[in-house]
Amino acid sequence: RNSSHKSLYQMCLLLFFFLIADGMLMYHVPLFITHAGFSEFHMGLIIGFSSVAGILFDLCMSRLIPHANFKKMFLVMLLVASIFPLVLLKATSLWMFLFGMIVWGIYYDLYNCGTLDFVSRVMPKNEHATSFGLIDVFIALGYLIAPIFAGFFTEGTKEMFFFFTVWFFLGIALFMYFFLNQSTKISEISLTKRHSPIKWIKEFKMHALVAKTFFPVYISSTLLNMIESIYWIVAPLVVITTAWSIEFGSLFLFSHELPAILVGWFIGKIIDKHSKKRVGFFALLGASLFMMLFFIIKDPVFLIMLSFLCACFTGIAWPAIKGAQADLVSEHKNFEQEIELVQDTFTNLGFII
């Protein structure tokens, strides 16, 4: 148990540095695209292509990464992510941006699947929600710090120091990966997964069966990712004039990430004692109701407060839904791979929509 907790904290640190790099890129990608001459509508379509690429990658993962476990997924994730800044540096045409979105979609898929795979394999079932609550704290910290670092660079300009900073954080994440790789013994990793490639039609049918069986959990994940994508795609582009010394977009994202840090330390222990699905549903409902008020309220102060309240509910919903997904993986050993990949497909659908 102490060994699994040690591995959990090592993985959290890996994700923390990885997501600082990813958050910096996520903040600037919409600006890179619009500064290249594309409209905001085209920008949305280009970024949405990353999720389409992610869905296609879900069907191919067992062929491209044989016998995948979180160790392999995280290593490939970091290597692929290191390519993304280089593609963005050279991207000026539509095709280069689309290639960049393929790279982005692949490594983000590996991040999602690897995280779920780690919790379902290494952590005890009664600590799944608690584990995701802690993971969400480090995810929020990474995404909280990322806009601060991103703000040091001129928006939309491709400064080399910006890309070197991204590679620096990816390098630290890779360093943490080696610690995780050493501390997590191979005996701790279950060997029940069916990783052998099968025919495309059978693969698709199995994904459809899993999606139908566990649809309520998956659709909740889609809705949560819709909320998440609205923040990260819209916030850098929103221009609201204030007398504040800090840009509105940065404060908007800060208010969105802060609640996960506050509630993540303890909310998982509460969720694990109740129905994860029920807690996740009501928390998602509350977040959706607050999200609807964004179309009515225009005052920047109230928008920041509303963002904070909405994120308080998503901060509860995320550990509950992710914990429920990890429970599904633990309970259905013969469909572990399909459950993880279908979960990621519904995640991608949230970003596409």
Side-chain angles (χ1 to χ4, degrees), residues 52-264:
V52 176
I55 291 175
L56 296 176
F57 180 72
D58 290 335
L59 295 172
C60 305
M61 186 186 292
S62 62
R63 292 167 173 80
L64 298 174
I65 310 177
H67 308 291
N69 55 56
F70 67 88
K71 289 188 176 185
K72 286 189 177 182
M73 288 188 226
F74 283 148
L75 179 59
V76 177
M77 172 194 78
L78 292 169
L79 296 177
V80 174
S82 66
I83 300 172
F84 190 37
L86 186 62
V87 176
L88 290 176
L89 182 62
K90 301 294 183 181
T92 54
S93 65
L94 173 63
W95 297 111
M96 281 298 290
F97 277 117
L98 290 179
F99 176 65
M101 295 305 105
I102 293 174
V103 173
W104 200 4
I106 289 173
Y107 83 66
Y108 206 83
D109 266 27
L110 293 166
Y111 151 63
N112 277 327
C113 291
T115 305
L116 179 59
D117 189 77
F118 173 88
V119 174
S120 61
R121 284 171 178 263
V122 177
M123 303 307 297
K125 183 181 176 182
N126 64 343
E127 295 184 15
H128 282 172
T130 303
S131 300
F132 276 115
L134 180 64
I135 291 169
D136 284 347
V137 169
F138 283 86
I139 291 174
L141 281 171
Y143 279 144
L144 194 65
I145 293 172
I148 299 173
F149 280 102
F152 287 120
F153 303 94
T154 306
E155 293 185 349
T157 60
K158 298 181 179 181
E159 302 176 34
M160 280 303 302
F161 190 60
F162 169 77
F163 294 103
F164 282 127
T165 305
V166 171
W167 280 317
F168 171 74
F169 284 114
L170 288 175
I172 299 177
L174 183 62
F175 184 71
M176 294 307 306
Y177 166 80
F178 290 122
F179 278 103
L180 176 65
N181 187 49
Q182 291 297 320
S183 68
T184 309
K185 297 178 182 179
I186 199 71
S187 60
E188 295 175 2
I189 302 176
S190 70
L191 301 175
T192 57
K193 282 195 160 192
R194 179 194 56 74
H195 285 295
S196 302
I198 58 177
K199 293 182 178 180
W200 290 101
I201 295 176
K202 187 175 181 180
E203 184 89 35
F204 181 80
K205 287 182 178 179
M206 292 185 73
H207 282 217
L209 175 63
V210 170
K212 181 180 178 181
T213 306
F214 307 120
F215 184 76
V217 175
Y218 288 137
I219 197 64
S220 299
S221 179
T222 298
L223 294 172
L224 281 168
N225 279 287
M226 287 174 62
I227 295 174
E228 188 74 16
S229 64
I230 289 172
Y231 275 98
W232 279 95
I233 293 176
V234 173
L237 301 174
V238 173
V239 179
I240 295 181
T241 304
T242 66
W244 307 337
S245 58
I246 303 176
E247 291 184 3
F248 172 80
S250 297
L251 283 175
F252 192 66
L253 288 173
F254 178 84
S255 64
H256 171 61
E257 298 296 338
L258 182 61
I261 299 173
L262 299 178
V263 304

Side-chain angles (χ1 to χ4, degrees), residues 245-300:
S245 58
I246 303 176
E247 291 184 3
F248 172 80
S250 297
L251 283 175
F252 192 66
L253 288 173
F254 178 84
S255 64
H256 171 61
E257 298 296 338
L258 182 61
I261 299 173
L262 299 178
V263 304
W265 296 104
F266 62 86
I267 195 64
K269 294 179 181 179
I270 298 174
I271 294 171
D272 278 323
K273 297 178 181 178
H274 300 84
S275 169
K276 297 181 182 71
K277 297 177 184 178
R278 189 176 295 115
V279 172
F281 173 77
F282 284 109
L284 175 60
L285 179 62
S288 301
L289 292 174
F290 279 115
M291 199 75 184
M292 292 171 62
L293 296 177
F294 281 117
F295 296 100
I296 302 173
I297 297 175
K298 304 298 180 183
D299 183 81

